[in-house]
Amino acid sequence: MVVSAGPGAPTAQTALDNVQRYPREAIAIGRQVLAGRVDADERSTAERAIGLALRELNDLPGALWHLRRAARTGRSPRVRALARMSLGYVLANAGQTTAALRAVGAALPRLTGADAGRARMQRGVVLHYRGRFAEAIRAYGVAVEIAQREADLLLEARARNNRGLLNAHRGNGRGTDDLTRSAAIFSRLGLDLAATDVRWNIGIAAGQRGDIAGALRCFTTADADYRRLNVPRPALLLDRFELLLSVPLVEEAVEVADTAVRELRRRGMASDLAEALLARARAALVAGDLATATGAADAARTRFRRQGRRIWAAFAGHVALRAEYARGTRSPALLAAMVRTADRLDATGWPDPALTTRIEAARLAGALGRTGRAAELLAVAARAHRRGTASRRAQGWYALALSRRMTGDERGAARALRRGLAVLDGHRAALGATELRAHSGAHGRELAAEGLDIAVRAGAPAQVLTWAERWRANALRMRAVQPPADPELAAALAELRMVSTALEDALLAGHPVQALRRSQARLEQRILQLTRAVGGGGGLVAPPGVRALTGALGPAVLLELVAHGDRLRAVLVRDGRASLHDLGSLAEAVRLARAHRFGLRRLVTTGDTASARAGVGYAATALDRQLFDPVRRQLADRPLVLVPIGALHAVPWSALPTVTGRPVTVAPSATAWLRAGDRTAPDGPPVLAAGPRLPAAETEVRQLARVLAAPRVLTGAGATVEAVTGALDGAGLAHIAAHGTFRADNPLFSTLELADGPLTAYELERLPHPPGCVVLSACDSGLSGVRPGDEVMGFTAVLLALGARSLIATVLPVPADLTTTLMLDLHRRMRAGVPPAQALADAQRAFDTGTDGAAHATAAAFVCFGAG
């Protein structure tokens, strides 16, 4: 669309007025002006308009070229000063902050009234870039005052936006008021692009105060507006990065930081590029990639110093120092540098990185034997528990706990740790998306580990159990948040099914798939945006004590595995008593579990060979001895409730000698097990569904239909996602036989293939009333992605969170023909009233005669999750 300049020839002022409405049209109008015969001031204004429009479109070299021409071309002092003012703004964007200050400083004496207000605001922008935040706030304030005095709404909106954003970054709640008023003014003036920028900044403010869902909603709305306006905003990737890292969604944060570095380097946006390199360093540090963290932090620090941004350079230095500490360096020089950096960050308005650095410096001081210095640092850090975001307050409580442990006050330390975790619980409850809740467990890692260490060293099994439960699978301790009936989400899920089906067909036919893969990625990203923006609600269920567990266990034994440093420990609850056991090396248990899974997969996928059987037998025996020898007497022959650590969630438990033939229920946590057992199963008719491209699935379902009473059978073209999910709602029992795919990158995109495409875990989340017991005979359907805090993500977590009592699913690939026989026996036993865990154990024992390796692996693949 071309914006008319009205009667007569286009004017430079028209171009300038359109910069934040339609930057491309502003450039076109400015060039028309330059092509005509106009005076020097008109040419200067046109050059200025083109330069500012190119800035909006992220072409900084082009913007600087035109703005320098504008500053040279103007004849009147005012026009030249306005050009220098705009030049200073773009120089700051390009990282040339010293030159930017000179340009704005030269413009200020020549300007009066509203022009002076704009120059004050631009000076504030430059100071903002340089990290001189208090001075920037004052400059923005003067600009607002001038704007109100001169009745200049546009200037007021811009100055309020900048002040509001800076206050939001500094944790000042007044920032949101400025931003809201700014957006309203821009909208009233018809400046859609500027209003969208402010709405994005309102999202930043929401993220800064911990409202992740609110921030995501703002970003999603603003993203749609940017696409509508056809204006790229690559620098906004850095804001998205901040939000992702705050959850933390570490893998996505790494990807976004890398994308930002590439885009900003390509566009020559030097100032933002330095910040993107810092983002890459921070993400790499959280991900444990210390080499990348150090290299990116050093590169960012070099650029910041070159740009005169000393405070930003200190921030980059903080990341490099933390990487050095994580690498194991313990030296007085590192301690001095960390303390110096923390003080500098605190003094210049960056309290959060200062807090993290100060806590790690205190731990380093303790390791060096400087307990007095450690106590001083922790005393300062502990003040953070009084105010700020949930993460900041939790860190403050953590510092207070460390301080108390140094003085031998273990009880006081435990109280502080509980208070810190309670703060994080409130933050997590505000997140509606299962995925965000699961990832947010990372924030409590240090607090829970410290509390667990206190309990283990005290030799108190009941306390160890409480601390283990306090952090474990917390997403399942919350009330599930059902996504609203969002037609846009439903449409995106339906389109994803069509694209995924087309992709599968193209792969089988050997056709090109690049375009389909791009469409699939785009739709998955859209679904993530829509689901993450759902708000939460409700608190967490308190972890159960030994007495509560005893009443529910009856004759069964609960064995909860716990990682403590490099050791694997277990709390065993039996007959009202808890005991604590050391199960040996954590790394060895994980190694044996992987070897065992690998051997069982070989039996199914490459054939039943003597070497494969020998490997399975050795790994099973060794793992069984490590896990169960220390507790064998207490286990006796009783039913078992197992709560594994995350690294052992995929163990095929029934293949271990101690567990073979024993009713065993696997649960993400004791709390989740207890809640599942308290639920009343719905009494709707059984549902049987078979997916396509699996002839044995339809055979399996038809045979099961003769075992169960009046089931709803969905096969062939009738087994669509809509039909199956509709039938699942309120069913007492559901059995789905279909191809399954586990997605390790995002387990909620794991699928069961149905007639019209894949059924994802996201769609199961929309069930109002999940079945009481679900059986999935698809490959790997019981696998879960595990996040910090032993948070599980996948079909298991979704169904248990929604209210299913039990899920029987596979943790390995399974051959269809053998599976049908096992499933028929399982359902006959459950139909006769045998509980799911007992029915599965009996069916597995009858099926696995010990003569067929593939049959052994098939039986072992199935695990009963939930209440059993």
Side-chain angles (χ1 to χ4, degrees):
M1 178 174 65
V2 176
V3 179
S4 171
T11 67
Q13 187 59 47
T14 304
L16 200 60
D17 291 343
N18 277 283
V19 163
Q20 286 195 305
R21 286 190 179 94
Y22 311 107
R24 289 182 173 83
E25 284 69 26
I27 293 170
I29 295 170
R31 285 173 177 164
Q32 288 181 51
V33 171
L34 294 176
R37 300 184 65 178
V38 293
D39 64 26
D41 284 352
E42 185 78 354
R43 295 188 70 82
S44 175
T45 303
E47 294 279 12
R48 180 175 166 229
I50 294 171
L52 290 173
L54 288 170
R55 161 62 188 86
E56 293 297 323
L57 297 174
N58 305 297
D59 180 0
L60 294 190
L64 289 171
W65 191 85
H66 282 279
L67 289 168
R68 287 188 175 110
R69 282 177 63 89
R72 291 195 302 269
T73 303
R75 184 175 59 188
S76 73
R78 174 180 177 270
V79 169
R80 287 199 303 271
L82 289 173
R84 289 193 188 99
M85 175 189 75
S86 296
L87 176 62
Y89 169 61
V90 180
L91 283 168
N93 278 243
Q96 301 175 44
T97 57
T98 301
L101 274 178
R102 280 200 303 268
V104 176
L108 266 171
R110 305 281 185 174
L111 299 172
T112 60
D115 289 341
R118 293 185 184 90
R120 289 287 179 188
M121 185 187 69
Q122 299 296 17
R123 178 174 168 79
V125 170
V126 181
L127 294 168
H128 190 156
Y129 274 107
R130 288 179 72 91
R132 291 160 62 177
F133 300 135
E135 292 176 74
I137 290 285
R138 287 194 294 272
Y140 293 146
V142 171
V144 170
E145 291 172 4
I146 294 174
Q148 290 176 328
R149 185 170 65 243
E150 300 290 331
D152 189 324
L153 288 175
L154 181 58
L155 172 59
E156 181 181 352
R158 288 172 173 167
R160 283 190 182 278
N161 171 65
N162 293 353
R163 186 173 68 178
L165 181 61
L166 182 49
N167 273 323
H169 275 304
R170 302 181 83 199
N172 189 325
R174 290 177 297 178
T176 303
D177 294 336
D178 266 338
L179 292 170
T180 303
R181 292 179 68 178
S182 174
I185 294 172
F186 278 131
S187 295
R188 192 190 322 162
L189 295 173
L191 298 176
D192 292 349
L193 178 57
T196 299
D197 287 338
V198 182
R199 283 193 287 272
W200 181 278
N201 290 342
I202 290 173
I204 295 174
Q208 290 290 327
R209 63 176 182 267
D211 181 6
I212 304 300
L216 287 167
R217 285 193 295 272
C218 290
F219 286 173
T220 299
T221 302
D223 265 338
D225 288 339
Y226 285 130
R227 287 195 298 273
R228 176 176 58 81
L229 294 166
N230 191 27
V231 176
R233 281 287 190 262
L236 299 188
L237 287 168
L238 298 174
D239 300 323
R240 191 176 294 282
F241 164 83
E242 292 291 345
L243 196 64
L244 292 170
L245 199 65
S246 73
V247 173
L249 295 162
V250 179
E251 292 176 1
E252 282 188 61
V254 169
E255 183 179 341
V256 167
D258 287 345
T259 301
V261 169
R262 288 195 302 272
E263 277 295 299
L264 296 168
R265 178 174 280 134
R266 183 174 68 84
R267 295 175 182 272
M269 300 174 70
S271 180
D272 291 319
L273 174 58
E275 293 176 35
L277 288 166
L278 175 57
R280 173 186 277 173
R282 293 166 62 201
L285 179 62
V286 176
D289 182 358
L290 302 183
T292 297
T294 300
D298 288 343
R301 181 164 47 181
T302 298
R303 286 178 173 270
F304 286 134
R305 284 173 174 168
R306 193 182 304 145
Q307 295 169 12
R309 301 167 71 184
R310 293 185 180 84
I311 304 309
W312 284 90
F315 195 172
H318 135 92
V319 177
L321 293 173
R322 290 190 62 205
E324 192 65 25
Y325 177 77
R327 197 175 282 112
T329 301
R330 301 291 183 267
S331 69
L334 178 60
L335 173 60
M338 293 178 83
V339 172
R340 187 167 56 249
T341 299
D343 290 342
R344 187 178 303 160
L345 290 169
D346 244 346
T348 52
W350 253 323
D352 289 346
L355 175 60
T356 304
T357 302
R358 190 167 281 115
I359 291 173
E360 290 186 349
R363 294 172 63 186
L364 172 56
L368 294 173
R370 300 184 178 182
T371 55
R373 186 63 169 136
E376 292 171 5
L377 292 166
L378 290 173
V380 174
R383 298 173 192 158
H385 79 270
R386 299 189 183 99
R387 64 178 64 87
T389 63
S391 176
R392 178 172 173 76
R393 283 181 288 139
Q395 278 196 295
W397 284 113
Y398 176 61
L400 183 60
L402 293 178
S403 176
R404 288 175 175 173
R405 287 201 81 180
M406 284 182 61
T407 63
D409 182 7
E410 300 282 71
R411 283 190 172 186
R415 285 195 302 272
L417 294 168
R418 284 193 292 270
R419 293 289 297 274
L421 286 170
V423 168
L424 293 175
D425 287 348
H427 166 69
R428 180 179 292 192
L431 302 174
T434 301
E435 177 206 20
L436 297 186
R437 286 179 167 183
H439 281 277
S440 67
H443 288 302
R445 186 201 315 262
E446 291 175 320
L447 288 91
E450 201 72 23
L452 184 68
D453 184 67
I454 291 171
V456 168
R457 292 181 186 280
Q463 291 180 30
V464 172
L465 178 66
T466 298
W467 278 106
E469 286 290 305
R470 191 63 189 73
W471 190 49
R472 169 170 279 161
N474 273 340
L476 295 180
R477 290 172 51 211
M478 300 181 187
R479 178 176 64 83
V481 177
Q482 187 177 10
D486 182 350
E488 191 175 357
L489 176 59
L493 288 166
E495 189 178 352
L496 178 63
R497 277 197 297 280
M498 290 189 291
V499 169
S500 299
T501 300
L503 176 60
E504 184 71 22
D505 292 343
L507 285 169
L508 292 172
H511 294 158
V513 296
Q514 291 87 345
L516 288 169
R517 287 198 188 279
R518 286 195 296 271
S519 295
Q520 183 185 48
R522 174 182 58 78
L523 286 165
E524 288 183 356
Q525 186 59 43
R526 183 62 181 151
I527 289 165
L528 287 175
Q529 287 179 340
L530 292 170
T531 55
R532 289 172 177 176
V534 176
L540 278 74
V541 177
V546 172
R547 181 179 300 177
L549 289 170
T550 298
L553 282 169
V557 175
L558 180 138
L559 188 69
E560 178 149 342
L561 305 184
V562 179
H564 177 235
D566 60 357
R567 306 296 292 177
L568 181 64
R569 303 188 189 275
V571 177
L572 184 142
V573 179
R574 167 183 158 157
D575 297 337
R577 300 190 64 181
S579 53
L580 180 62
H581 306 269
D582 186 345
L583 304 186
S585 165
L586 173 60
E588 179 65 6
V590 172
R591 185 190 70 79
L592 289 171
R594 289 174 178 164
H596 184 223
R597 276 182 55 79
F598 175 76
L600 288 171
R601 289 177 70 94
R602 281 184 64 198
L603 287 176
V604 172
T605 57
T606 63
D608 184 2
T609 65
S611 64
R613 275 211 209 183
V616 168
Y618 167 78
T621 300
L623 182 61
D624 187 89
R625 285 174 178 165
Q626 179 174 354
L627 297 182
F628 298 120
D629 273 2
V631 296
R632 195 169 302 283
R633 182 178 59 81
Q634 291 95 324
L635 287 181
D637 58 356
R638 297 186 177 207
L640 179 61
V641 176
L642 254 171
V643 180
I645 61 169
L648 300 180
H649 259 288
V651 169
W653 295 100
S654 67
L656 302 184
T658 299
V659 183
T660 301
R662 181 195 302 262
V664 60
T665 302
V666 177
S669 67
T671 310
W673 172 78
L674 195 61
R675 289 187 73 191
D678 287 341
R679 292 165 181 153
T680 302
D683 56 4
V687 174
L688 302 172
R693 298 191 305 108
L694 195 62
E698 191 157 336
T699 301
E700 180 175 303
V701 163
R702 296 294 180 194
Q703 293 184 29
L704 287 172
R706 295 194 287 271
V707 173
L708 302 177
R712 295 183 62 180
V713 180
L714 299 166
T715 60
T720 63
V721 169
E722 183 178 0
V724 170
T725 53
L728 290 177
D729 190 25
L733 171 70
H735 180 105
I736 302 177
H739 280 297
T741 302
F742 175 69
R743 283 276 298 272
D745 59 326
N746 187 336
L748 294 182
F749 280 121
S750 298
T751 60
L752 298 172
E753 187 179 347
L754 297 177
D756 59 339
L759 166 67
T760 67
Y762 278 112
E763 286 164 297
L764 288 181
E765 281 194 312
R766 296 161 64 85
L767 283 178
H769 308 98
C773 178
V774 180
V775 180
L776 302 177
S777 58
C779 296
D780 295 333
S781 55
L783 287 179
S784 293
V786 182
R787 302 297 184 257
D790 289 347
E791 296 286 0
V792 292
M793 292 173 60
F795 288 119
T796 304
V798 167
L799 289 166
L800 292 179
L802 285 177
R805 281 178 54 87
S806 301
L807 169 69
I808 294 176
T810 62
V811 294
L812 291 166
V814 288
D817 51 345
L818 292 174
T819 299
T820 298
T821 304
L822 178 63
M823 292 296 95
L824 284 169
D825 191 14
L826 167 69
H827 280 286
R828 286 192 186 101
R829 294 174 190 275
M830 289 199 295
R831 177 84 172 88
V834 180
Q838 181 71 63
L840 178 62
D842 293 344
Q844 287 170 320
R845 182 167 48 194
F847 183 77
D848 182 9
T849 62
T851 59
D852 183 343
H856 172 67
T858 302
F862 284 88
V863 176
C864 181
F865 299 96

Short mmCIF file of all heavy atoms in Angstrom, two decimals, residues 25 79-80 128 173 223 244 320 398 413 427 456 563 565 571 607 635 665 769 827-828:
data_model
loop_
_atom_site.label_atom_id
_atom_site.label_comp_id
_atom_site.label_asym_id
_atom_site.label_seq_id
_atom_site.Cartn_x
_atom_site.Cartn_y
_atom_site.Cartn_z
N GLU A 25 6.83 2.40 2.85
CA GLU A 25 6.22 3.52 2.14
C GLU A 25 6.94 4.84 2.46
O GLU A 25 7.08 5.71 1.59
CB GLU A 25 4.73 3.64 2.49
CG GLU A 25 3.85 2.60 1.82
CD GLU A 25 4.10 1.19 2.35
OE1 GLU A 25 4.55 1.06 3.51
OE2 GLU A 25 3.85 0.22 1.62
N VAL A 79 17.30 21.84 11.64
CA VAL A 79 17.19 20.63 10.80
C VAL A 79 18.44 19.78 10.94
O VAL A 79 18.37 18.54 11.05
CB VAL A 79 16.93 21.03 9.33
CG1 VAL A 79 17.07 19.81 8.42
CG2 VAL A 79 15.52 21.63 9.20
N ARG A 80 19.63 20.43 10.94
CA ARG A 80 20.86 19.66 11.12
C ARG A 80 20.90 19.01 12.49
O ARG A 80 21.33 17.86 12.65
CB ARG A 80 22.09 20.58 10.92
CG ARG A 80 22.34 20.97 9.48
CD ARG A 80 23.79 21.47 9.29
NE ARG A 80 24.09 22.59 10.18
CZ ARG A 80 23.88 23.86 9.86
NH1 ARG A 80 23.34 24.18 8.68
NH2 ARG A 80 24.19 24.82 10.71
N HIS A 128 21.03 4.37 28.03
CA HIS A 128 20.43 3.05 28.27
C HIS A 128 21.35 1.97 27.68
O HIS A 128 21.69 0.98 28.34
CB HIS A 128 19.05 3.02 27.60
CG HIS A 128 18.21 1.84 27.94
ND1 HIS A 128 16.84 1.86 27.86
CD2 HIS A 128 18.52 0.58 28.35
CE1 HIS A 128 16.35 0.67 28.20
NE2 HIS A 128 17.36 -0.11 28.50
N GLY A 173 7.91 -1.97 39.28
CA GLY A 173 6.55 -2.20 38.82
C GLY A 173 5.92 -1.05 38.09
O GLY A 173 4.94 -1.22 37.36
N ASP A 223 3.58 -11.00 17.72
CA ASP A 223 4.13 -11.72 16.57
C ASP A 223 3.17 -11.68 15.39
O ASP A 223 3.58 -11.45 14.24
CB ASP A 223 4.39 -13.19 16.95
CG ASP A 223 5.82 -13.43 17.38
OD1 ASP A 223 6.69 -12.62 17.01
OD2 ASP A 223 6.06 -14.41 18.10
N LEU A 244 12.53 -17.77 27.54
CA LEU A 244 12.81 -19.20 27.48
C LEU A 244 13.79 -19.61 28.58
O LEU A 244 13.61 -20.65 29.22
CB LEU A 244 13.39 -19.56 26.11
CG LEU A 244 12.43 -19.44 24.92
CD1 LEU A 244 13.20 -19.58 23.61
CD2 LEU A 244 11.33 -20.49 24.99
N ALA A 320 31.58 -15.61 32.11
CA ALA A 320 32.86 -16.28 31.96
C ALA A 320 33.38 -16.78 33.31
O ALA A 320 33.93 -17.90 33.42
CB ALA A 320 33.88 -15.33 31.33
N TYR A 398 17.93 -19.75 49.50
CA TYR A 398 19.02 -20.71 49.37
C TYR A 398 20.28 -20.18 50.03
O TYR A 398 20.98 -20.90 50.76
CB TYR A 398 19.25 -20.99 47.88
CG TYR A 398 20.42 -21.89 47.57
CD1 TYR A 398 20.48 -23.19 48.05
CD2 TYR A 398 21.48 -21.43 46.77
CE1 TYR A 398 21.55 -24.02 47.75
CE2 TYR A 398 22.55 -22.25 46.47
CZ TYR A 398 22.58 -23.55 46.96
OH TYR A 398 23.65 -24.37 46.66
N ALA A 413 18.43 -24.24 58.44
CA ALA A 413 18.70 -24.34 57.01
C ALA A 413 17.55 -25.03 56.29
O ALA A 413 17.11 -24.59 55.22
CB ALA A 413 20.01 -25.10 56.78
N HIS A 427 5.16 -19.89 41.90
CA HIS A 427 5.50 -19.52 40.52
C HIS A 427 5.05 -20.60 39.55
O HIS A 427 4.45 -20.32 38.51
CB HIS A 427 7.01 -19.31 40.42
CG HIS A 427 7.53 -19.25 39.02
ND1 HIS A 427 7.27 -18.21 38.17
CD2 HIS A 427 8.30 -20.13 38.32
CE1 HIS A 427 7.85 -18.43 37.01
NE2 HIS A 427 8.49 -19.59 37.07
N VAL A 456 19.88 -36.92 54.44
CA VAL A 456 20.71 -38.12 54.30
C VAL A 456 21.78 -38.15 55.38
O VAL A 456 22.04 -39.19 56.01
CB VAL A 456 21.33 -38.19 52.89
CG1 VAL A 456 22.41 -39.28 52.84
CG2 VAL A 456 20.25 -38.46 51.85
N ALA A 563 18.70 -39.92 43.98
CA ALA A 563 20.08 -39.59 43.61
C ALA A 563 20.63 -38.62 44.64
O ALA A 563 20.05 -37.56 44.88
CB ALA A 563 20.11 -38.97 42.22
N GLY A 565 24.25 -36.93 45.21
CA GLY A 565 25.63 -36.83 44.73
C GLY A 565 25.88 -37.93 43.71
O GLY A 565 25.11 -38.10 42.77
N VAL A 571 14.66 -45.11 49.73
CA VAL A 571 13.84 -45.13 50.93
C VAL A 571 12.80 -46.24 50.74
O VAL A 571 12.10 -46.25 49.73
CB VAL A 571 13.13 -43.78 51.16
CG1 VAL A 571 12.21 -43.87 52.38
CG2 VAL A 571 14.15 -42.66 51.33
N GLY A 607 16.90 -60.14 16.27
CA GLY A 607 16.76 -61.59 16.36
C GLY A 607 17.26 -62.16 17.66
O GLY A 607 18.07 -61.56 18.38
N LEU A 635 11.81 -56.66 51.04
CA LEU A 635 10.88 -56.85 49.93
C LEU A 635 10.10 -58.15 50.05
O LEU A 635 8.91 -58.21 49.75
CB LEU A 635 11.63 -56.85 48.59
CG LEU A 635 12.16 -55.52 48.06
CD1 LEU A 635 12.85 -55.73 46.71
CD2 LEU A 635 11.02 -54.52 47.89
N THR A 665 4.10 -51.66 40.36
CA THR A 665 3.55 -50.42 39.82
C THR A 665 4.65 -49.38 39.82
O THR A 665 5.33 -49.20 40.84
CB THR A 665 2.38 -49.92 40.69
OG1 THR A 665 1.38 -50.93 40.76
CG2 THR A 665 1.80 -48.64 40.13
N HIS A 769 -12.64 -35.96 30.79
CA HIS A 769 -12.70 -37.09 31.73
C HIS A 769 -11.92 -38.26 31.14
O HIS A 769 -12.45 -39.02 30.32
CB HIS A 769 -14.16 -37.51 31.98
CG HIS A 769 -15.05 -36.38 32.38
ND1 HIS A 769 -15.86 -35.71 31.48
CD2 HIS A 769 -15.22 -35.76 33.57
CE1 HIS A 769 -16.52 -34.76 32.10
NE2 HIS A 769 -16.14 -34.75 33.38
N HIS A 827 -6.18 -58.72 29.33
CA HIS A 827 -7.55 -58.23 29.44
C HIS A 827 -8.49 -59.28 30.03
O HIS A 827 -9.44 -58.92 30.74
CB HIS A 827 -8.05 -57.76 28.07
CG HIS A 827 -7.56 -56.38 27.71
ND1 HIS A 827 -8.07 -55.25 28.29
CD2 HIS A 827 -6.58 -55.98 26.84
CE1 HIS A 827 -7.45 -54.18 27.78
NE2 HIS A 827 -6.54 -54.60 26.90
N ARG A 828 -8.24 -60.54 29.75
CA ARG A 828 -9.07 -61.59 30.38
C ARG A 828 -8.93 -61.52 31.90
O ARG A 828 -9.92 -61.64 32.63
CB ARG A 828 -8.65 -62.97 29.87
CG ARG A 828 -9.08 -63.28 28.44
CD ARG A 828 -8.90 -64.76 28.13
NE ARG A 828 -9.18 -65.03 26.72
CZ ARG A 828 -8.26 -65.19 25.78
NH1 ARG A 828 -6.96 -65.10 26.12
NH2 ARG A 828 -8.59 -65.44 24.55
#
